Amino acid sequence: MIDSALLPTLGGYINGEWVMADSGKTLTVTNPVDHSELADVAAMGQPETERAIAAAEQALERPASLEQRRDWLNAIADALTQNREEIGRLLCLEHGKPLAEAQGEVDYAAGFFRYAANHIDVLAPRTLDEQPRDCRWTIHHRPAGVVGLITPWNFPIGMIAKKLSSAIAADCSSVIKPSSKTPLTMIALFTLLEREVKLPAGKANLVMGSAGPITEALFAAPSVRVISFTGSTEVGRELIRQAAPGVKRLTLELGGNAPYIIFADADLDRAADQLMANKFRGGGQTCVCANRIFVHADVAPVFAEKLAQRVEALQIGDGMQPGTTLGPLIDENAVKKVARHVDDAINKGAKLIYQGDASGLAGTFHPPTVLLDVPANAACYREETFGPLVPIITFADEPEVVRMANDTDFGLACYVFTADEARGQKVIERLRFGHAALNTGSGPTPEAPFGGMKQSGYGREGGLEGLLEFTEAQTVPVG
Ligand code: NAP
């Protein structure tokens, strides 16, 4: 069982108090590297969520000044930075990603709080230069109300940072539900909110447990005005349905199926290096990671070879061991999905270029795999693989690759590599993805808005746009 100074309890946090589930039930958190049990955390439900919402409602009655909120945001960024090693360790143990990567995620999370602190002035009231109807007009960014924040397991600290930084900046109070697979990092965050930041009771509340009863309570409460969700498109669709009766606002950061396009004139070494960093982060379990790699037919075999050499150098194993660059997948279902995608593509004519060796490892591993000539009817072309598979698809010309890249219901991230920047920009104009990178495999950053088009969701996190997600504009003409 895990031992950490940041886990003084394994309970939720409601109205400034650590609490276990009313029922006494717990849920077990395991380490995907060897299935060992890490902790039994409180498995809460509807009554605890209702109490968390009530506490959040009371906290809303005590508005905080912009300066106070800036101080809290800076204090959270500082606390995360000072505790990056221990939070990273907990994250590595419950998620499986390599320790250095996990600690890098803590830095990434701190960046959202810092950015919000630095830019909170955009939420200050704005008086119009014009005076229509003989009135002085002022626009106030009011807190939207209580907000429900639901996060996935693939970035246990990064995803809550995106949401909570904007919620605090907007002076909303929140009820947070982490993924049942990775709640320990969230408990550690709440320990810091209590100990270091001294956030007032009720401002942020933590409930853990089965998603159904918790989200039902959130949707049923009139005071909960925004639900911000990051996770699968399947669950996102269900939330849209549940949001209708109470006309709740949703921010949805959903699944992706990112195209990674390499034209024949591209710097192939750079494209391969960037693909390694993009594709294998988190074991390939990121919403922005390249899912379909489109390479011009003239250079596809050379590129596949360059990539295979790099993939061969990956060190598969326990993320806590120095040198590990590829950890386990989150669970058995994840391994089965990658294996199904590999088998299906090979059965439909794809060539196996390289497959690593994960035999002898006890946890939920899938070896990194490179496939060439993957056909458009392969499952990995249509579905998000969420694992260490690189399916290379060849194309002949620009119109064809634009059509293929857009041939998906998702629209989260895409990447284009070419030596001709004008051509790259022209192609990007026609790609329907919220994050469209040229000659880089870089994903989101706290300073820029990030979010999806099409069925990858709506709303933006990060940047100035993200700071407005939990606000309501109130327009006040004074006569
Ligand atoms: P998930 O199964 O949709 O779960 C996400 C969160 O929703 C978890 O807290 C989960 O709780 C909860 N949940 C599950 N069923 C629910 C329901 N019926 N109603 C309300 N909440 C529910 O997704 P995941 O497997 O954790 O994450 C992977 C997915 O997230 C991928 O599709 C990935 O692309 C997407 N993602 C998107 C972004 C983005 O920014 N667009 C970022 C990261 C990940 P339990 O754990 O308790 O079931």
Side-chain angles (χ1 to χ4, degrees):
M1 286 287 187
I2 203 163
D3 184 28
S4 168
L6 294 183
L7 300 178
T9 142
L10 296 171
Y13 191 76
I14 298 175
N15 205 18
E17 308 269 346
W18 293 100
V19 278
M20 296 307 286
D22 293 359
S23 64
K25 284 189 187 155
T26 56
L27 62 91
T28 302
V29 186
T30 56
N31 185 337
V33 87
D34 58 6
H35 310 292
S36 60
E37 291 190 5
L38 291 171
D40 293 319
V41 305
M44 304 168 129
Q46 192 174 332
E48 295 91 339
T49 310
E50 285 169 355
R51 287 204 297 278
I53 295 167
E57 284 169 11
Q58 283 168 22
L60 271 187
E61 299 297 319
R62 301 182 292 274
S65 68
L66 220 59
E67 276 317 309
Q68 172 64 79
R69 287 177 259 156
R70 192 197 313 272
D71 288 348
W72 286 330
L73 292 162
N74 275 323
I76 300 172
D78 290 343
L80 286 172
T81 305
Q82 281 153 17
N83 291 275
R84 71 186 291 282
E85 300 205 349
E86 181 57 6
I87 298 182
R89 184 180 78 92
L90 298 175
L91 203 164
C92 170
L93 291 172
E94 66 178 351
H95 175 284
K97 65 178 71 175
L99 182 61
E101 210 183 297
Q103 291 171 342
E105 188 186 324
V106 184
D107 300 335
Y108 176 66
F112 283 93
F113 291 101
R114 191 74 71 201
Y115 178 85
N118 290 343
H119 293 273
I120 196 169
D121 287 340
V122 297
L123 303 182
R126 175 179 102 241
T127 299
L128 300 186
D129 293 338
E130 302 83 357
Q131 297 211 332
R133 313 244 164 93
D134 206 17
C135 293
R136 186 180 74 247
W137 294 68
T138 305
I139 319 303
H140 297 266
H141 294 291
R142 307 291 190 200
V146 176
V147 297
L149 312 180
I150 307 172
T151 56
W153 50 265
N154 64 343
F155 287 97
I157 192 75
M159 293 301 145
I160 189 58
K162 293 180 173 207
K163 299 180 193 304
L164 186 61
S165 55
S166 291
I168 290 178
D171 207 19
C172 290
S173 42
S174 34
V175 176
I176 297 170
K177 186 226 155 327
S179 166
S180 299
K181 294 178 181 128
T182 55
L184 300 178
T185 307
M186 193 70 86
I187 298 177
L189 171 66
F190 270 80
T191 302
L192 296 178
L193 295 182
E194 181 185 55
R195 270 191 211 159
E196 316 275 329
V197 182
K198 305 201 184 334
L199 208 60
K203 198 79 190 159
N205 303 274
L206 168 64
V207 288
M208 299 173 291
S210 177
I214 294 174
T215 42
E216 271 166 35
L218 288 171
F219 280 113
S223 62
V224 177
R225 295 313 316 152
V226 185
I227 295 192
S228 175
F229 168 81
T230 300
S232 57
T233 296
E234 202 184 355
V235 172
R237 257 188 226 111
E238 174 61 20
L239 299 186
I240 293 171
R241 204 184 54 74
Q242 285 179 273
V247 194
K248 309 275 188 204
R249 194 198 309 169
L250 292 176
T251 292
L252 298 175
E253 298 289 347
L254 308 178
N257 182 3
Y260 192 101
I261 301 169
I262 302 169
F263 284 99
D265 63 352
D267 176 341
L268 296 186
D269 285 305
R270 178 170 169 83
D273 288 339
Q274 293 284 307
L275 182 56
M276 292 301 294
N278 168 292
K279 176 73 222 185
F280 292 101
R281 197 157 60 107
Q285 303 171 105
T286 76
C287 54
V288 292
C289 74
N291 200 56
R292 296 169 296 154
I293 293 76
F294 295 104
V295 187
H296 192 276
D298 289 353
V299 295
V302 182
F303 180 79
E305 204 40 54
K306 284 179 184 290
L307 194 74
Q309 283 164 12
R310 288 162 171 81
V311 174
E312 208 175 340
L314 288 171
Q315 293 286 321
I316 314 172
D318 181 352
M320 287 301 290
Q321 293 301 320
T324 297
T325 47
L326 186 64
L329 297 180
I330 192 70
D331 58 18
E332 282 303 339
N333 283 339
V335 176
K336 280 189 198 145
K337 185 173 190 188
V338 184
R340 172 170 69 79
H341 280 189
V342 172
D343 292 346
D344 167 81
I346 290 175
N347 286 338
K348 288 175 178 157
K351 288 199 253 335
L352 180 65
I353 298 294
Y354 176 79
Q355 184 156 59
D357 183 9
S359 60
L361 294 167
T364 45
F365 287 89
H366 190 283
T369 306
V370 181
L371 299 176
L372 181 59
D373 292 332
V374 171
N377 64 349
C380 64
Y381 189 108
R382 300 275 144 212
E383 303 167 22
E384 189 181 30
T385 302
F386 239 50
L389 165 63
V390 185
I392 299 177
I393 302 140
T394 58
F395 69 89
D397 56 32
E398 202 178 291
E400 183 190 25
V401 78
V402 169
R403 183 186 55 71
M404 289 197 295
N406 281 330
D407 180 21
T408 171
D409 291 333
F410 297 102
L412 197 57
C414 66
Y415 308 86
V416 177
F417 284 78
T418 170
D420 179 349
E421 185 171 338
R423 193 232 311 244
Q425 296 285 6
K426 206 168 84 194
V427 167
I428 278 176
E429 241 179 81
R430 284 178 287 154
L431 294 174
R432 303 293 298 148
F433 297 84
H435 177 89
L438 181 54
N439 291 326
T440 173
S442 168
T445 177
E447 298 78 12
F450 172 77
M453 296 186 186
K454 293 157 70 176
Q455 293 188 29
S456 289
Y458 37 74
R460 291 293 179 266
E461 291 182 336
L464 298 180
E465 289 80 353
L467 278 177
L468 295 168
E469 285 290 306
F470 297 106
T471 63
E472 297 274 19
Q474 186 180 50
T475 305
V476 182
V478 177

